[in-house]
Amino acid sequence: SSGINAEYGGLRVKRHDRVVNAIGRSLGKKESNKVLIEPHLKPTGLPMLKPDIVALTASGIEIIDVQIKADMGCKRNLEDDAKVKTDKYNVKEYVEEARRLLGVTSESTPCNVNAFTLTWRAQFARHSLALAKRLKFKSILQYIAADVLADTWMQQVFWSKSS
């Protein structure tokens, strides 16, 4: 049974990583953007964190963490889920570490800490839609949605065969 859980967990991780990579590729299409996928933020005296994306864009530094939340059989507040993510990374030492990794020396460069949240059934949270609009990757949302839905279906097939 632990093999089943590991394989199921692997499917979930792959789904998450495809969303991260789609957003990262989209941001990276603009030559002036610098995009890091899963960089290690390790400020002195604090635990290491790995946000999904740290990018330097025209609007400043963007720290983005992707989450795909269960929404079947439970009531969710995606905005509350996002706050947990943003609070985790919106700490001065982690922001400074992101600046250092991107080579940004100006303190006046803003840093935005973002969650990109959607559900297993590809319902995007309001903040995710606003982020996609602000960073100009709205055009890929339909592909992200289709990918997430296909993976959710595959997980359901996997579980029905394993039970």
Side-chain angles (χ1 to χ4, degrees), residues 72-144:
M72 292 182 247
C74 62
K75 190 171 176 125
R76 290 216 85 93
N77 183 326
L78 297 178
E79 301 307 317
D80 288 347
D81 290 335
K83 185 171 179 354
V84 171
K85 284 284 190 184
T86 56
D87 286 351
K88 177 179 174 181
Y89 293 103
N90 201 9
V91 173
K92 181 181 185 243
E93 292 83 357
Y94 291 113
V95 169
E96 291 307 313
E97 186 68 1
R99 282 183 192 285
R100 187 188 68 74
L101 288 176
L102 291 169
V104 175
T105 55
S106 171
E107 290 293 319
S108 64
T109 302
C111 182
N112 304 298
V113 178
N114 313 278
F116 185 81
T117 309
L118 68 157
T119 68
W120 288 1
R121 292 184 285 179
Q123 173 192 355
F124 293 94
R126 287 187 312 274
H127 66 268
S128 299
L129 296 172
L131 178 66
K133 182 177 181 180
R134 183 170 63 78
L135 295 180
K136 299 178 176 47
F137 64 87
K138 268 183 76 172
S139 63
I140 66 167
L141 292 181
Q142 63 189 346
Y143 303 107
I144 289 173

Side-chain angles (χ1 to χ4, degrees), residues 15 40 50 57 157-158:
R15 175 179 60 192
H40 294 195
K50 284 184 0 182
T57 70
V157 168
F158 175 81

Side-chain angles (χ1 to χ4, degrees), residues 41-48 91 93-94:
L41 302 183
K42 179 66 178 99
T44 304
L46 290 174
M48 182 190 71
V91 173
E93 292 83 357
Y94 291 113

